[in-house]
Amino acid sequence: QVQLVESGGGLVQAGGSLRLSCAASGRSFWNYYMGWFRQAPGKEREFVGGVTWTGQTNVIDSVSDRFTISRDNARSTVYLQMDSLKPEDTAVYCCAAARSNMLVTSQGGYGYWGQGTQVTVSS
């Protein structure tokens, strides 16, 4: 079992930055690929990016120049650093854990989800 708790969301002006955290509890954090997803109002949930146990990251092209994912295994925490935020980044952001040591982009591949944190970017 893995429990995930996100934090760090909030309201920010366009051009600003936020860092989201996802703290994991439970056993065997090293067994999991950690992903970030977001769901904007009226849209499908989408994969934003993720990180393997060894720190290899993948971020979707649309935000790869602004978003960075990292992982602190000692703290069982994953981060999503978001810079130069735009109003279209407004969404609920969730972290998720997939029992894999490789990239997982499909929502169905994830067995554990956090509750999500709201990010609102004002223009």
Side-chain angles (χ1 to χ4, degrees):
Q1 285 282 349
V2 177
Q3 293 80 42
L4 304 173
V5 178
E6 301 96 336
S7 60
L11 174 64
V12 63
Q13 288 189 328
S17 296
L18 282 174
R19 188 176 80 156
L20 306 184
S21 299
C22 172
S25 61
R27 299 187 300 176
S28 305
F29 182 64
W30 59 88
N31 282 335
Y32 293 89
Y33 180 88
M34 299 299 296
W36 284 99
F37 289 80
R38 67 182 180 182
Q39 186 166 20
K43 294 188 177 181
E44 298 283 326
R45 184 188 291 175
E46 69 168 342
F47 176 75
V48 175
V51 58
T52 66
W53 164 255
T54 59
Q56 183 177 3
T57 61
N58 293 89
V59 180
I60 57 175
D61 288 344
S62 60
V63 300
S64 61
D65 58 337
R66 301 184 293 117
F67 289 12
T68 303
I69 295 174
S70 61
R71 177 172 183 155
D72 185 338
N73 292 323
R75 299 178 185 272
S76 297
T77 301
V78 180
Y79 303 98
L80 176 62
Q81 177 69 42
M82 304 185 293
D83 299 318
S84 302
L85 283 161
K86 303 176 181 179
E88 52 263 44
D89 294 318
T90 294
V92 175
Y93 286 73
C94 294
C95 66
R99 194 173 178 90
S100 173
N101 60 3
M102 299 175 62
L103 170 66
V104 180
T105 61
S106 170
Q107 295 181 47
Y110 290 82
Y112 303 97
W113 293 83
Q115 82 287 353
T117 186
Q118 176 69 48
V119 171
T120 303
V121 185
S122 63
S123 57

